[in-house]
Amino acid sequence: MATIISKIRFAGLLAWFLSITMLVSGQSGRQNFTGDSSYSFPWAGGMNSMQFGEVDINRDGIKDLVAFDRQGNRIMPFINAGTENSIDYSYAPQYINNFPELYDWAVFADYNNDDKADIFTYSPGWAGMMVYKNISDATLKFQRVVYPYLTSLNSGGEVNILVTYADYPAISDLDNDGDLDILTFWGLGSFVEMHKNLSMETYGSADSLIFEKTEACWGHFAESDESNKLYLDTCVPAPMENIFDEVERQERHTGSTFLMLDLDADNDKDLLLGDVDYPGLFSLINGGTPEQANIVAYDTAFPDNQQKVRIFSMPAAAYIDVNNDGKKDLIVSPFDPAPAISKNFSSVLLYLNEGENNKPEFHLTSEAFLQNQMIDVGSGSMPVLFDWDNDGFTDLFIGNYGYYNRSWYDQYFTLHSQYRGTVFYLKNVGTWGYPTFTPVDMDFGKFLDEGDDLTGVAPAFGDINGDGKNDMLVGNSRGTLMLVEFSGSDVLKTKNYADIDVGNFSTPQLFDLDNDGLLDLIIGEQDGNINYYHNNGTAHSPDFVFVTDSLGKVNVTDYTLSYYGYSCPWFYRSHSGKTFLVVGSEQGKLFYFTNIDGNLTGKFTESDSLGNFLGVENFNPDRGIRTSVTMGDICLGAEAELLAGNFSGGVEFFGGDAAVLASVKPVKGAAKKLEIFPNPASGRVTVTIPEKLTRFQLDVFDLSGKLVYKHVFYSHALQKVSLDVTGYLQGVYVISLVSDKNRYVGKLVVW
């Protein structure tokens, strides 16, 4: 069998860089596709394997968008402003807790015709589906009405409607009688079963879920149980010798996705079919009737040869009006449950419909729908806050498991995908207490020059040898460390640094754990424990000596879910000098520990008060899978802010906020001194403009960080600005001037 990959596009680091500067024509609104230089929702958390549904989330009568990422079972609500002919979404995480917990897949469909979308989702441990009824009034609410699984009458008895975690069923009114029916593959593949809903026949309304298996071979077609090859006008599987001419496939992973829609305006439902290990969607045309389907033709290059779906792996599609023009559009994303298959930061395809709802004409508009308005560095994001250039403003670095490079099949037709890990550098170009990050280097440390497939790149920072220059220590999936030193434009690397090897997936942090003035080394690992290496050297000659692989007796592995924990530790010392620990994990929970100071040989105390420490109400510590964490005091107000990474490649921000520019801006160096006269003052002061500027922003903060004055000036001739501080309370103030290229800071004493 010849490989079906004919046009794999090798997405590399440049693809991510382009995605954050790309403007999509014809789109506007809060998603900021019209030229605004900032991400609309930078901290939404990234996307990898998505499913979508229409739900009126804020109960304003407009259908909003629910995005569900099966990698971590993450729910992402987006509010639709409803602007006609416009993509107009804003991220609304405050509604996440209004949804029930979803697992692996979710179909949003209104089964009782009350114009409120209900939810069908996988029932773990039962190979079936449970159902949540939408009981919203003024507030979004759901009630579980079917558990542990939905049943269907089959051979005289009620049996589970078999739907595994690897299948995405069709839940649609197939026979046009007003209630929702179900299509799913037979347990051994090949044939599609129809489970007819008898609610209308039994009660005359659609408010019940009563199913009977009425067809064992819906559409009269068969799919090979060894590939995605289709056979029409048959309900008998083809002989194996007719399927493969070259190589006998030894193993087959089952799994398929369904989407039902009318493609040819004949009032019956056609089928879009996705299949495990394959990158495209097949369109299957129903030449029968709503009551008796008959698949008469199919197209393997849907929607056409120039725009055909090519996304790894096992695409799942949703039919939703995205741009508020009354026509349903197509959103496609991977469904494969394997974590390292997705095209990560380019994994949500949007096809706008230029036809009609019953005869769509799809045109590819974006390959990173919604993703291009958030930080998404591929798979496995690991953020670190650190002031790299010593300008007093904390920067953001994000390591990753890797960005998608390519996919291929081996001789047994098993799909493989290649990833390349690196570090992304976003510089803080904001003002004091108001961080703004802009991308500077998409391969900080030049890891792509290594020439091998390095993955799981986890950075840590500090001046290890006391030479006044910051260094970068990097963990990786091999469990070793790499020291990266910078000398001008040269990057010097020491592999297998200090011969440290913790097994797999080393995640280091440089932190003075015992308060002796020297940076110690803490390393998380795949097994979920934490390694501690004490620095027995000097400020100029470090000597990291192994102490324990069970620091604080911490192990974040949940053996009911996985054999591994993937610990990712971050120690933080508060303003009062007290030390805390937060650890990311495979299961996605952020573990919070206290009782650390003076107890390095004992057991740390796990606490559930992380939200209180951050000042975040109703904080949920479960943030996806393979979470990572960093903390710092970079915003006004709270003691500290927390940034969490996940395997979907994004970053979430808790306890504060920061803007993220969507294009590379000129990098401001260290803040320069601003001249203020008189100083001290009690009436008017004059601020000298240090250069000819066409535009600049002037801010005044008190020492608590409160903004007391802000103004943007547009003038290339302005040399001085006069400020009236008569009404200011006595004390010290910080005046900040920010231009397109530089920033200036000065202190003012008011008496």
Side-chain angles (χ1 to χ4, degrees), residues 594-611:
T594 62
N595 189 28
I596 296 170
D597 296 303
N599 188 35
L600 298 184
T601 60
K603 183 178 181 179
F604 299 161
T605 302
E606 186 178 352
S607 170
D608 60 0
S609 60
L610 179 57

Side-chain angles (χ1 to χ4, degrees), residues 54-98:
E54 287 183 298
V55 178
D56 183 0
I57 297 173
N58 60 351
R59 309 298 299 146
D60 64 351
I62 300 173
K63 294 295 177 64
D64 306 303
L65 187 67
V66 181
F68 174 65
D69 193 337
R70 72 171 302 169
Q71 290 194 0
N73 292 326
R74 298 170 50 243
I75 298 171
M76 306 169 69
F78 292 88
I79 299 300
N80 182 7
T83 306
E84 188 175 355
N85 296 313
S86 177
I87 297 177
D88 201 358
Y89 292 111
S90 59
Y91 183 51
Q94 67 270 25
Y95 291 103
I96 292 175
N97 292 336
N98 292 82

Side-chain angles (χ1 to χ4, degrees), residues 174 224 262 295 372 422 435 466 513 595 641:
L174 300 172
S224 167
D262 189 356
I295 301 301
N372 52 18
T422 189
L513 191 56
N595 189 28
E641 291 74 46

Side-chain angles (χ1 to χ4, degrees), residues 42-296:
W43 312 110
M47 293 179 164
N48 267 8
S49 299
M50 306 303 302
Q51 301 150 42
F52 295 89
E54 287 183 298
V55 178
D56 183 0
I57 297 173
N58 60 351
R59 309 298 299 146
D60 64 351
I62 300 173
K63 294 295 177 64
D64 306 303
L65 187 67
V66 181
F68 174 65
D69 193 337
R70 72 171 302 169
Q71 290 194 0
N73 292 326
R74 298 170 50 243
I75 298 171
M76 306 169 69
F78 292 88
I79 299 300
N80 182 7
T83 306
E84 188 175 355
N85 296 313
S86 177
I87 297 177
D88 201 358
Y89 292 111
S90 59
Y91 183 51
Q94 67 270 25
Y95 291 103
I96 292 175
N97 292 336
N98 292 82
F99 288 88
E101 192 166 4
L102 307 178
Y103 301 93
D104 292 303
W105 57 260
V107 176
F108 300 86
D110 177 14
Y111 78 79
N112 57 356
N113 289 335
D114 63 354
D115 200 31
K116 295 186 288 190
D118 309 298
I119 304 176
F120 298 74
T121 187
Y122 180 63
S123 185
W126 297 101
M129 67 180 81
M130 52 185 173
V131 183
Y132 288 90
K133 182 180 179 180
N134 190 331
I135 58 170
S136 303
D137 40 39
T139 303
L140 183 67
K141 291 181 287 189
F142 293 90
Q143 177 186 15
R144 190 168 68 184
V145 293
V146 174
Y147 182 83
Y149 48 76
L150 193 61
T151 62
S152 179
L153 183 64
N154 186 0
S155 301
E158 295 286 336
V159 298
N160 175 28
I161 300 176
L162 179 66
V163 184
T164 71
Y165 72 95
D167 286 293
Y168 192 68
I171 301 176
S172 177
D173 184 5
L174 300 172
D175 52 11
N176 293 341
D177 68 348
D179 53 23
L180 297 182
D181 310 299
I182 296 175
L183 290 185
T184 183
F185 262 105
W186 174 51
L188 297 180
S190 295
F191 312 119
V192 175
E193 298 179 342
M194 175 171 173
H195 298 270
K196 176 179 172 58
N197 193 342
L198 303 178
S199 182
M200 292 297 297
E201 288 81 357
T202 304
Y203 300 111
S205 66
D207 59 359
S208 298
L209 296 168
I210 309 171
F211 293 93
E212 179 182 10
K213 179 182 172 183
T214 57
E215 295 185 50
C217 184
W218 180 89
H220 301 285
F221 77 96
E223 182 185 50
S224 167
D225 58 1
E226 298 290 338
S227 73
N228 65 346
K229 188 173 180 64
L230 299 178
Y231 303 92
L232 302 185
D233 196 25
T234 181
C235 286
V236 179
M240 285 295 297
E241 60 268 21
N242 294 335
I243 298 175
F244 296 111
D245 296 326
E246 300 177 7
V247 179
E248 180 182 353
R249 185 161 180 163
Q250 298 181 354
E251 184 178 0
R252 172 67 181 159
H253 300 288
T254 60
S256 299
T257 68
F258 293 108
L259 175 66
M260 309 305 299
L261 69 168
D262 189 356
L263 292 171
D264 51 7
D266 63 352
N267 200 38
D268 60 25
K269 296 292 177 65
D270 307 299
L271 169 62
L272 294 185
L273 179 66
D275 193 74
V276 69
D277 280 357
Y278 293 95
L281 283 174
F282 286 9
S283 60
L284 283 69
I285 301 302
N286 183 359
T289 66
E291 295 79 13
Q292 188 62 50
N294 184 36
I295 301 301
V296 297

Side-chain angles (χ1 to χ4, degrees), residues 356-376:
E356 302 299 330
N357 284 331
N358 63 349
K359 195 172 183 179
E361 295 179 12
F362 294 121
H363 293 270
L364 181 62
T365 306
S366 174
E367 294 186 344
F369 173 58
L370 299 177
Q371 288 179 287
N372 52 18
Q373 290 300 304
M374 66 184 73
I375 293 175
D376 192 331

Side-chain angles (χ1 to χ4, degrees), residues 202-456:
T202 304
Y203 300 111
S205 66
D207 59 359
S208 298
L209 296 168
I210 309 171
F211 293 93
E212 179 182 10
K213 179 182 172 183
T214 57
E215 295 185 50
C217 184
W218 180 89
H220 301 285
F221 77 96
E223 182 185 50
S224 167
D225 58 1
E226 298 290 338
S227 73
N228 65 346
K229 188 173 180 64
L230 299 178
Y231 303 92
L232 302 185
D233 196 25
T234 181
C235 286
V236 179
M240 285 295 297
E241 60 268 21
N242 294 335
I243 298 175
F244 296 111
D245 296 326
E246 300 177 7
V247 179
E248 180 182 353
R249 185 161 180 163
Q250 298 181 354
E251 184 178 0
R252 172 67 181 159
H253 300 288
T254 60
S256 299
T257 68
F258 293 108
L259 175 66
M260 309 305 299
L261 69 168
D262 189 356
L263 292 171
D264 51 7
D266 63 352
N267 200 38
D268 60 25
K269 296 292 177 65
D270 307 299
L271 169 62
L272 294 185
L273 179 66
D275 193 74
V276 69
D277 280 357
Y278 293 95
L281 283 174
F282 286 9
S283 60
L284 283 69
I285 301 302
N286 183 359
T289 66
E291 295 79 13
Q292 188 62 50
N294 184 36
I295 301 301
V296 297
Y298 65 90
D299 182 3
T300 63
F302 179 83
D304 56 54
N305 281 320
Q306 286 70 43
Q307 303 181 95
K308 59 186 174 183
V309 173
R310 283 296 178 265
I311 193 166
F312 291 97
S313 155
M314 193 181 176
Y319 199 37
I320 292 170
D321 181 8
V322 168
N323 59 349
N324 299 298
D325 64 352
K327 301 175 182 179
K328 291 184 178 292
D329 309 298
L330 193 71
I331 313 175
V332 186
S333 189
F335 184 75
D336 197 307
I341 291 294
S342 168
K343 292 179 71 173
N344 49 52
F345 55 74
S346 181
S347 62
V348 183
L349 308 185
L350 172 62
Y351 290 81
L352 291 181
N353 183 2
E354 298 182 6
E356 302 299 330
N357 284 331
N358 63 349
K359 195 172 183 179
E361 295 179 12
F362 294 121
H363 293 270
L364 181 62
T365 306
S366 174
E367 294 186 344
F369 173 58
L370 299 177
Q371 288 179 287
N372 52 18
Q373 290 300 304
M374 66 184 73
I375 293 175
D376 192 331
V377 300
S379 293
S381 58
M382 288 170 277
V384 175
L385 291 168
F386 185 76
D387 181 7
W388 173 255
D389 49 10
N390 297 318
D391 65 349
F393 294 84
T394 303
D395 307 306
L396 174 61
F397 296 83
I398 311 174
N400 67 355
Y401 172 81
Y403 67 88
Y404 175 87
N405 188 32
R406 67 188 184 100
S407 293
W408 72 96
Y409 293 101
D410 63 21
Q411 60 178 331
Y412 303 112
F413 299 96
T414 299
L415 177 67
H416 300 271
S417 292
Q418 181 190 59
Y419 292 81
R420 302 289 299 275
T422 189
V423 175
F424 299 81
Y425 170 30
L426 295 92
K427 179 175 173 56
N428 185 351
V429 296
T431 58
W432 182 62
Y434 293 90
T436 297
F437 297 108
T438 186
V440 173
D441 194 338
M442 305 300 105
D443 184 25
F444 187 74
K446 300 182 179 178
F447 292 98
L448 300 185
D449 295 344
E450 291 301 301
D452 58 5
D453 297 334
L454 187 68
T455 57

Side-chain angles (χ1 to χ4, degrees), residues 386 388 390 460-472 483 485 510 517-519 535 538-540 542 544:
F386 185 76
W388 173 255
N390 297 318
F461 297 92
D463 181 3
I464 297 178
N465 56 10
D467 63 355
K469 298 179 181 178
N470 291 318
D471 308 302
M472 180 167 64
L483 176 63
E485 300 173 278
L510 290 165
L518 299 176
L519 291 175
N535 190 346
T538 66
H540 298 282
F544 295 112

Side-chain angles (χ1 to χ4, degrees), residues 542-610:
D543 180 19
F544 295 112
V545 177
F546 176 75
V547 177
T548 180
D549 62 359
S550 185
L551 180 62
K553 307 299 186 291
V554 171
N555 192 309
V556 296
T557 306
D558 183 345
Y559 292 101
T560 65
L561 300 175
S562 172
Y563 292 115
Y564 302 113
Y566 289 91
S567 56
C568 189
W570 186 267
F571 283 92
Y572 177 79
R573 188 158 287 134
S574 68
H575 298 165
S576 64
K578 193 173 183 178
T579 306
F580 303 92
L581 169 65
V582 184
V583 188
S585 65
E586 163 81 344
Q587 61 180 286
K589 178 181 177 180
L590 299 180
F591 291 82
Y592 178 53
F593 295 93
T594 62
N595 189 28
I596 296 170
D597 296 303
N599 188 35
L600 298 184
T601 60
K603 183 178 181 179
F604 299 161
T605 302
E606 186 178 352
S607 170
D608 60 0
S609 60
L610 179 57

